[in-house]
């Protein structure tokens, strides 16, 4: 019988069936007994708790009846459970322990540091259905406080911490966690605002100041001393035994050298030692410690170099969207970081080349590699991982127990067989076993799993036989490798035939698989029971509870077994077929409410998809390759893996489906031949293909062509009743309306789009539409609403892990801050957006961030900085064959910089070009800005007044807002034109008021 109080008070049988307890007083009695956690409660105390002042006529008898009812309910549910309710001289009690009561289990897990598991026990507020009763008040307060303490230490997202801070506004631990999470999300100003809120609350309500620790945290945020660290090291599942000296040596090597390579044979423990060393030194690296697992990359990949950069970018959570080379971008974002490259030996030359380039251009980077051979680079410290220390013959129990090999074996054997211990009877056999296995950790752990079945003496006897059998095999291998192979071979022959079949077929997977994938590749209906048995034998490793993978040495062994029985090709083919079908099954889930779950599932199998595609292309199965890339193309976009998508799509050059995707990706990557590729496939493209190309091409500036493609796509989506497609076209229309400053069209398109996307549950789509709502709010001057919507976008994108979208929303927040004259906030948002956009390779968002920083610099008087940033944007835009969307506004701002620098001729040329670009985009708003800029620096002041009149009239007719931050530029232009005298100025201004911007500009051209 089990009891729960972390939520409504509940009881379950050991089989998980709920126990029905009739009667409010009987359930209250159970709650009261549970609140005392096994301690006896006097009868008069229970009577007072249950009835208060409304005591029944025979209180003792009534209480006894309620106790009997509780016992009967427990007994009916699970025979024998009535004895859990006990009575004695001190009162009544309920027999509970951490094994059958969630509150006690919670406290035990917290003490052990298992925070996530502890939090997983909660189903709602403690004693939820009796929380108002005084008899549980103390227990509720204690459990709630302990839960909050755990939440302060847990790694929670910003949105969850914000809710907790709102519920507990004076709790400093939660406030500190909230501030750190905001800061690490790039929201420094919000972190400081959170501190200020607490400081004011403490002063107003308690007359206190924040604690010194919280003050110190605020100072760290102000000075940006907290690192934006990323750490993906897995938690250690067991203690690292016998490696204290090795850890100290590796630590010292990392302190003095930038490249340390741990070498040694398979199974010696290179990976375990590297992970432990990385965890121990993590505090040294402000940007974190990142593990990159390379075991899934094989020499027969389509491009080993590209696969390596893909693996590093994936580990860093970067998006490979082009621009500079992938290696250069990796180097640019390394900062102060430790990169752990695990299992380099399969592709050692390519790993060495990548490592050499990264170390050369990223001075804050250090690399810790594991390999069976050195990388062979200058400055490399090669640290050979030794086997564990083995005991000499005839050592005492105490002396043998000092040897690390014995310590490891004894610990693992005791875990496998509870009766095992290192004693006078077992020490000699353990010593022989450790020496015969040469102290190889993997071999010792494999052997330890068999102690329960065979005993140590049986292990030694069988090991002797196996060694004699394999004495002449693998002549070219080192002795320790022979020993390990013998150990795996011996373990193999202990398996049943069905276990051998499943184990060898698992070897074709890259970086693990699910039980469903294992069944498909093994050609079985269900292999979960077999997988569990293989996990028990330490031949298969469980990963996060739902996935399984082979140890490296075991996988290599099993590939040989597959080849020997002639199953390698058929296993590879089943692997290919399964992952094609998985990708196709996943694709619909990426367009609705299950988007986040499917993204995670596809993330987990990225290596398997790459392996499957390599297989399809290498064997000429282009139909399967085409299906695979078509199914994954949208996933690659959502995850920002543009270069991976391009390489994969280019593997099927004759496919129309792949061609449409490829054209869009070429636009995203800024490829000059994108229009050619578009024209090649546009006639054959379906509705999705048309929308995809048009949406991707919109930033390139050819809006009329894109709009025509969107209209074709919309008709097909409507005919097919494809609501997602309709919403996607509407979001793209909103973008085009924003370029033209068509406020009604922008609002209507965004409104319709978000309504449909919300109904579908597509969070990516909601994010797009929300961004355009924010853009509309900014254009009409509702800056508070614009800020709220863009912050909502940041949070939604963070939850989905869509970092390019986070960068974009941050950039829009920066622009909104510019319009509000909040230039420090604009800088903060712009710098965060630029850093993320650079990491993700998002050129359009990089431009937005640079634009924000350039505007902030000009408005705060930093003209040189503004000139440098804005001129770089102009130079980059002019390299494109077509005008980019941001060019007009950047030219205008740079024109104002030149005007303030006293260079009116250059300013006039820039504003004139800005007007012409605005005409190309049909942007009346841009034309108004350009006319006002021209007026500020044109030598003919009468003409300047005409231009100002035309701009003002158009602004009024189109309801174009002029923010307070823009009036300074206009005031200078008016003052410059007013030198002609009041009457002449008014007359010229009135002449301009009846002209369109194009007509007014024509006057300038005719001069």
């Amino acid at each position: 019988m089990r009891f729960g109080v972390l939520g409504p008070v509940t009881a379950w049988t050991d089989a998980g069936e709920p126990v029905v307890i009739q009667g409010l007083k009987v359930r209250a009695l159970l709650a009261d007994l549970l609140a005392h956690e096994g301690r006896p409660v006097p009868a008069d105390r229970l009577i007072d708790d249950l009835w208060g002042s409304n005591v029944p006529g025979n209180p003792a008898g009534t209480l006894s009846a309620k106790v009997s009812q509780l016992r009967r309910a427990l007994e009916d549910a699970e025979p024998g459970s009535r004895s859990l309710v006990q009575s004695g001289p001190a009162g009544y009690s309920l027999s509970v322990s951490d094994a059958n009561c969630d509150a006690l289990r919670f406290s035990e897990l917290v003490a052990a540091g298992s925070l996530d598991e502890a939090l997983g026990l909660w189903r709602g507020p403690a004693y939820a259905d009796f929380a108002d009763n005084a008899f549980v008040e103390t227990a509720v307060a204690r459990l709630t406080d302990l839960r909050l303490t755990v939440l302060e230490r847990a790694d929670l997202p910003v949105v969850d911490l914000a809710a907790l801070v709102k519920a507990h506004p004076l709790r400093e631990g939660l406030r500190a966690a909230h501030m750190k999470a905001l800061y690490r999300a790039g929201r420094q100003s919000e972190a400081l605002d959170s501190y200020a809120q607490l400081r004011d609350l403490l002063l107003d309500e308690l007359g206190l100041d924040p604690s010194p620790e919280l003050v110190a945290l605020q100072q760290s945020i102000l000075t940006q001393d907290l690192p934006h660290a990323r750490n993906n090291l897995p938690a250690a599942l067991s203690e690292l035994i016998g490696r204290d000296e090795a850890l100290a040596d590796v630590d010292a090597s990392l302190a003095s050298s930038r490249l340390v390579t741990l070498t040694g044979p398979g199974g010696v423990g290179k990976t375990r030692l590297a992970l432990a060393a990385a965890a121990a030194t993590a505090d040294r690296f402000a940007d974190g410690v990142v593990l990159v697992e390379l075991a899934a990359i094989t020499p027969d990949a389509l491009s080993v170099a590209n696969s390596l950069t893909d693996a590093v970018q994936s580990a860093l959570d970067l998006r490979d969207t082009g621009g500079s080379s992938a290696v250069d971008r990796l180097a640019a974002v390394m900062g102060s970081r430790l990169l752990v490259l695990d299992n380099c030996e399969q592709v050692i030359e390519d790993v060495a080349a990548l490592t050499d380039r990264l170390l050369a251009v990223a001075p804050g980077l250090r690399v810790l590699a594991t390999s069976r051979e050195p990388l062979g680079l200058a400055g490399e410290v090669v640290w050979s991982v030794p086997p564990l220390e083995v005991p000499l013959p005839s050592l005492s129990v105490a002396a043998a127990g000092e040897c690390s090999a014995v310590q490891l074996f004894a610990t693992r054997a005791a875990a496998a067989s509870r009766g095992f211990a290192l004693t006078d009877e077992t020490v000699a056999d353990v010593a022989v076993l450790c020496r015969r296995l040469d102290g190889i950790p993997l071999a010792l752990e494999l052997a330890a799993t068999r102690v329960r079945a065979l005993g140590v003496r049986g292990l030694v006897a069988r090991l002797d036989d196996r060694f004699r059998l394999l004495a002449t095999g693998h002549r070219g291998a080192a002795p320790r490798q022979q020993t390990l192979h013998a150990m795996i071979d011996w373990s193999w022959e202990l398996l049943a035939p069905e276990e051998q079949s499943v184990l060898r077929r698992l070897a074709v997977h890259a970086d693990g698989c699910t039980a469903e994938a294992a069944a498909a590749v093994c050609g079985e209906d269900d292999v979960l029971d077999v997988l569990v048995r293989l996990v028990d034998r330490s031949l298969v490793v469980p990963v996060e509870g739902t996935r399984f993978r082979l140890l490296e040495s075991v996988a290599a062994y099993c590939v040989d077994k597959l080849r020997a029985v002639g199953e390698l090709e058929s296993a590879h083919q089943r692997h290919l077929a399964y992952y094609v079908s998985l990708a196709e099954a996943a694709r619909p889930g990426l367009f609705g409410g299950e988007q986040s779950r499917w993204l995670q599932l596809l993330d987990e199998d990225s290596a398997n998809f790459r392996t499957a595609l390599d297989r399809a292309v290498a064997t000429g199965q282009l139909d399967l390759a085409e299906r695979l890339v078509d199914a994954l193309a949208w996933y690659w976009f959502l995850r920002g893996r543009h270069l991976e998508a391009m390489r994969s799509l280019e593997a099927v050059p004759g496919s129309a489906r792949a061609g449409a995707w490829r054209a869009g990706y070429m636009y995203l990557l800024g490829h000059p031949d994108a229009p050619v590729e578009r024209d090649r496939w546009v006639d054959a493209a379906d509705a999705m293909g048309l929308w995809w190309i048009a949406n991707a091409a919109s930033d390139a500036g050819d809006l009329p062509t894109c709009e025509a493609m969107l209209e074709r796509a919309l008709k097909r989506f409507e005919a097919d009743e494809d609501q997602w497609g309709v919403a996607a076209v509407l979001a793209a229309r909103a973008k085009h309306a924003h370029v033209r400053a068509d406020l009604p069209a922008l609002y209507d398109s965004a409104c319709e789009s978000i309504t449909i996307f919300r109904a579908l549950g597509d969070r990516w789509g909601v994010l797009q539409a929300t961004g355009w709502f924010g853009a509309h709010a900014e254009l009409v001057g509702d800056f508070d609403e614009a800020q709220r919507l863009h912050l909502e976008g940041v949070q939604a994108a963070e939850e989905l892990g869509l970092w390019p979208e986070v960068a974009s929303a941050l950039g829009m927040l920066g622009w909104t801050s510019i319009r509000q004259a909040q230039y420090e906030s604009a800088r903060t948002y712009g710098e965060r957006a630029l850093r993320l956009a650079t990491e993700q390779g998002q050129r359009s968002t990089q431009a937005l961030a640079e634009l924000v920083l350039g505007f902030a610099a000009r408005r705060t008087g930093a003209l040189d900085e503004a000139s440098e940033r804005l001129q770089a944007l102009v130079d980059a835009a002019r390299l494109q064959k077509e005008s980019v969307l941001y060019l007009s506004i950047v030219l205008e701002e740079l024109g104002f910089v030149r005007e303030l620098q006293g260079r009116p001729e250059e300013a006039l040329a820039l504003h004139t070009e800005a007007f012409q670009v605005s005409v190309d985009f049909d942007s009346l708003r841009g034309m108004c800005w350009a006319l006002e800029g021209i007026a500020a620096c044109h030598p003919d002041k009468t003409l300047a007044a005409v231009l100002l009149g035309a701009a003002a009239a158009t602004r009024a007719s189109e309801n174009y807002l002029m923010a307070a931050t823009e009036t300074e530029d206009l005031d200078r232009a008016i003052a410059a034109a007013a030198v002609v005298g009041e009457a002449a100025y008014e007359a010229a201004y009135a002449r301009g008021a009846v002209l369109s911007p194009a007509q007014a500009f024509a006057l300038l051209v005719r001069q």
Side-chain angles (χ1 to χ4, degrees):
M1 185 69 65
R2 295 182 291 118
F3 301 97
V5 299
L6 304 181
V9 176
T10 314
W12 303 275
T13 66
D14 287 338
E17 295 296 325
V19 178
V20 178
I21 299 175
Q22 300 288 352
L24 179 62
K25 295 301 182 185
V26 180
R27 288 187 282 112
L29 171 63
L30 174 62
D32 204 340
L33 295 176
L34 285 169
H36 288 81
E37 298 182 344
R39 299 184 300 276
V41 190
D44 56 351
R45 173 67 181 274
L46 288 171
I47 291 168
D48 185 57
D49 288 345
L50 268 60
W51 286 282
S53 59
N54 299 317
V55 181
N58 180 9
T62 305
L63 175 62
S64 179
K66 299 302 180 188
V67 172
S68 296
Q69 287 178 257
L70 177 59
R71 285 173 170 159
R72 189 180 310 115
L74 299 180
E75 183 70 20
D76 289 346
E78 193 166 81
S81 295
R82 66 178 298 112
S83 62
L84 294 173
V85 183
Q86 302 169 354
S87 61
Y92 293 97
S93 64
L94 183 67
S95 180
V96 291
S97 67
D98 54 24
N100 72 343
C101 178
D102 61 3
L104 295 174
R105 176 65 177 159
F106 173 69
S107 299
E108 180 190 46
L109 289 170
V110 171
S114 303
L115 304 187
D116 290 341
E117 187 178 353
L119 291 172
L121 297 174
W122 285 75
R123 298 165 288 113
Y127 295 90
D129 41 353
F130 293 99
D132 294 333
N133 294 70
F135 61 81
V136 299
E137 183 176 343
T138 300
V140 168
R142 180 181 60 80
L143 288 168
T144 302
D145 185 76
L146 184 57
R147 178 173 180 263
L148 289 173
T149 301
V150 174
L151 289 169
E152 292 168 357
R153 296 160 56 193
D155 185 16
L156 297 180
V158 171
V159 63
D160 292 347
L161 286 167
L164 288 168
V165 165
K166 184 177 180 180
H168 307 278
L170 295 175
R171 192 174 178 98
E172 291 200 354
L174 284 176
R175 186 72 65 163
H178 185 229
M179 290 167 62
K180 290 176 183 177
L182 285 169
Y183 175 81
R184 291 196 168 108
R187 298 155 67 177
Q188 179 182 355
S189 60
E190 293 175 69
L192 296 173
D193 288 344
S194 183
Y195 171 84
Q197 291 169 9
L198 175 63
R199 181 192 58 205
D200 295 341
L201 282 171
L202 287 172
L203 185 61
D204 293 343
E205 298 189 22
L206 302 177
L208 299 175
D209 292 323
S211 66
E213 293 81 6
L214 207 64
V215 173
L217 175 60
Q218 183 222 18
Q219 290 301 312
S220 296
I221 292 174
L222 281 170
T223 57
Q224 298 190 1
D225 288 336
L226 290 180
H228 294 272
R230 287 182 179 170
N231 188 327
N232 68 342
L233 296 180
L237 299 179
S238 58
E239 179 186 3
L240 182 64
I241 295 174
R243 294 298 194 190
D244 291 346
E245 291 184 8
L247 275 174
D249 286 348
V250 175
D251 182 273
S253 297
L254 282 172
S256 60
S257 304
R258 296 184 60 211
L259 171 60
V260 178
T261 303
L262 306 186
T263 62
V268 79
K270 300 184 295 294
T271 298
R272 285 293 307 278
L273 178 58
L275 293 177
T281 59
D283 290 342
R284 297 183 197 166
F285 302 94
D287 293 300
V289 179
V290 174
L291 168 66
V292 185
E293 297 184 355
L294 305 178
I297 301 175
T298 60
D300 57 356
L302 290 179
S303 170
V304 173
N306 289 335
S307 296
L308 285 174
T309 55
D310 286 346
V312 178
Q313 288 180 135
S314 178
L316 288 167
D317 201 16
L318 301 182
R319 303 303 187 258
D320 57 356
T321 49
S324 58
S325 75
V327 177
D328 290 339
R329 285 201 309 104
L330 285 174
V333 301
M334 282 300 172
S336 172
R337 196 186 306 270
L338 175 64
L339 208 59
V340 182
L341 302 178
D342 190 31
N343 294 305
C344 302
E345 55 270 1
Q346 293 187 95
V347 285
I348 189 73
E349 293 182 3
D350 292 274
V351 173
L354 175 62
T355 303
D356 193 32
R357 290 184 62 188
L358 288 176
L359 289 172
V361 292
L365 172 66
R366 298 201 174 214
V367 174
L368 176 60
T370 72
S371 177
R372 295 188 186 179
E373 61 181 295
L375 300 187
L377 298 177
E380 178 184 23
V381 172
V382 179
W383 205 94
S384 180
V385 180
L388 297 176
E389 180 188 9
V390 298
L392 297 172
S394 304
L395 286 181
S396 65
V397 173
E402 295 295 320
C403 296
S404 53
V406 174
Q407 292 171 359
L408 176 64
F409 179 84
T411 301
R412 301 294 187 257
S417 176
R418 293 191 177 183
F420 175 82
L422 189 65
T423 64
D424 290 335
E425 289 73 26
T426 60
V427 66
D429 290 325
V430 169
V432 169
L433 188 73
C434 290
R435 290 198 305 276
R436 293 292 181 86
L437 295 179
D438 288 332
I440 301 293
L442 176 59
L444 292 169
E445 297 206 11
L446 289 170
T449 64
R450 287 301 175 209
V451 169
R452 181 171 57 185
L454 301 174
V456 181
R457 185 153 298 175
L459 279 171
V460 172
R462 290 184 177 235
L463 195 59
D464 282 343
D465 290 340
R466 181 53 54 198
F467 285 166
R468 282 196 293 270
L469 179 63
L470 298 178
T472 59
H474 308 287
R475 296 181 187 275
R480 290 169 188 156
Q481 290 172 305
Q482 292 183 26
T483 300
L484 180 60
H485 191 280
M487 186 70 247
I488 300 173
D489 201 10
W490 165 75
S491 297
W492 170 269
E493 293 196 5
L494 292 176
L495 299 176
E498 64 173 350
E499 294 170 339
Q500 291 179 344
S501 175
V502 169
L503 183 62
R504 67 174 175 258
R505 292 171 183 174
L506 288 176
V508 298
H509 288 95
D511 201 24
C513 64
T514 62
E516 292 78 10
V521 174
C522 292
E524 304 287 346
D525 292 333
D526 186 2
V527 296
L528 184 58
D529 288 343
V530 177
L531 286 172
V532 171
R533 294 200 298 273
L534 292 171
V535 169
D536 291 340
R537 288 157 174 76
S538 296
L539 290 167
V540 171
V541 179
V543 182
E544 297 177 357
T546 58
R547 292 178 64 81
F548 303 88
R549 67 175 179 85
L550 297 185
L551 296 166
E552 173 195 354
S553 300
V554 175
Y557 177 93
C558 289
V559 169
D560 288 340
K561 287 292 183 182
L562 277 173
R563 189 175 289 111
V565 296
E567 292 183 351
L568 185 58
E569 291 302 314
S570 60
H572 274 308
Q573 193 62 26
R574 285 194 296 269
H575 177 277
L576 170 59
Y578 174 78
Y579 283 100
V580 170
S581 65
L582 176 62
E584 291 179 331
R587 181 181 177 180
L590 298 176
F591 296 89
E594 294 292 298
Q595 192 174 70
S596 182
R597 183 176 72 88
W598 280 108
L599 282 171
Q600 181 179 351
L601 290 173
L602 292 176
D603 286 344
E604 291 172 350
D605 271 317
S606 288
N608 278 310
F609 289 125
R610 284 194 293 269
T611 298
L613 181 59
D614 289 348
R615 168 76 181 174
V617 174
T619 56
Q621 300 179 76
L622 297 186
D623 56 334
L624 291 177
E626 179 183 24
R627 288 169 54 190
L628 187 57
V629 297
D630 182 53
L632 291 175
W634 184 243
Y635 161 72
W636 286 323
F637 172 72
L638 291 177
R639 281 299 187 229
R641 297 177 186 167
H642 297 180
L643 288 178
E644 180 180 353
M646 274 297 296
R647 290 195 302 270
S648 302
L649 292 163
E650 286 169 351
V652 284
S655 164
R657 285 186 294 178
W661 286 112
R662 189 165 56 249
Y665 275 113
M666 289 175 72
Y667 274 111
L668 293 176
L669 293 167
H671 199 289
D673 292 333
V676 175
E677 191 72 4
R678 175 197 65 195
D679 294 342
R680 179 184 176 192
W681 299 109
V682 69
D683 291 337
D686 60 9
M688 181 68 180
L690 288 169
W691 169 83
W692 163 250
I693 298 173
N695 189 63
S698 292
D699 283 332
D702 188 2
L703 297 188
T705 300
C706 293
E707 288 171 347
M709 293 174 66
L710 288 173
E711 292 309 308
R712 289 173 56 195
L714 180 61
K715 290 178 181 178
R716 296 187 191 180
F717 282 135
E718 290 175 338
D720 295 339
E721 298 183 352
D722 184 338
Q723 287 296 96
W724 189 96
V726 171
V729 170
L730 290 168
R733 277 182 172 178
K735 180 176 186 176
H736 290 200
H738 182 258
V739 173
R740 298 190 305 270
D742 186 342
L743 301 181
L746 171 58
Y747 183 84
D748 291 345
S749 294
C751 187
E752 290 183 63
S753 179
I754 201 169
T755 299
I756 298 173
F757 276 133
R758 279 179 173 161
L760 295 173
D762 189 299
R763 297 170 67 190
W764 175 86
V766 170
L767 184 61
Q768 306 309 304
T770 299
W772 295 121
F773 263 129
H776 179 272
E778 178 262 316
L779 286 177
V780 300
D782 191 350
F783 298 127
D784 290 340
E785 177 66 2
Q787 185 177 49
R788 184 190 70 80
L789 288 167
H790 292 315
L791 282 172
E792 182 181 312
V794 170
Q795 293 169 354
E798 285 176 341
E799 290 171 6
L800 278 173
L802 301 178
W803 299 111
E805 307 300 337
V806 174
S808 179
L810 287 168
M812 292 304 295
L813 280 169
W815 177 245
T816 303
S817 297
I818 291 290
R819 301 270 281 162
Q820 294 173 288
Q822 297 174 356
Y823 300 124
E824 287 306 312
S825 294
R827 279 188 177 276
T828 299
Y829 288 129
E831 288 166 358
R832 171 66 171 153
L834 182 60
R835 183 169 64 250
L836 273 177
T838 301
E839 289 180 356
Q840 310 307 319
Q842 296 291 108
R843 290 190 314 283
S844 61
T845 306
Q846 283 178 265
L848 173 60
E850 288 283 11
L851 183 150
V852 168
L853 294 172
F855 270 64
R858 203 266 287 188
R859 306 300 170 88
T860 54
L863 296 183
D864 289 342
E865 178 191 348
S867 176
E868 182 179 349
R869 290 186 182 278
L870 296 169
Q871 187 65 59
L873 285 172
V874 170
D875 292 343
R878 285 173 173 163
L879 294 175
Q880 304 299 314
K881 292 182 178 179
E882 298 170 335
S883 297
V884 295
L885 296 184
Y886 63 80
L887 180 57
S888 174
I889 194 171
V890 176
L891 287 167
E892 289 155 5
E893 187 70 2
L894 184 57
F896 287 128
V897 171
R898 294 289 179 261
E899 175 201 342
L900 293 171
Q901 290 176 327
R903 297 152 68 176
E905 295 83 2
E906 295 177 42
L908 181 59
L910 289 165
H911 289 305
T912 301
E913 184 180 354
F915 186 93
Q916 293 164 335
V917 173
S918 297
V919 171
D920 292 341
F921 288 133
D922 194 24
S923 173
L924 282 173
R925 188 167 181 247
M927 295 180 211
C928 291
W929 262 331
L931 289 178
E932 291 158 355
I934 293 170
C937 55
H938 199 282
D940 186 339
K941 303 308 178 184
T942 301
L943 177 59
V946 173
L947 301 181
L948 291 172
T954 301
R955 281 189 181 276
S957 64
E958 297 294 333
N959 293 318
Y960 290 154
L961 169 78
M962 175 164 281
T965 56
E966 298 162 2
T967 58
E968 291 182 8
D969 298 325
L970 180 59
D971 289 344
R972 288 199 315 277
I974 293 172
V979 298
V980 298
E982 183 176 352
Y985 175 83
E986 293 294 340
Y989 191 89
R991 289 200 307 273
V994 299
L995 301 177
S996 69
Q999 291 169 330
F1001 185 76
L1003 298 177
L1004 177 69
V1005 175
R1006 286 200 296 268
Q1007 273 200 331

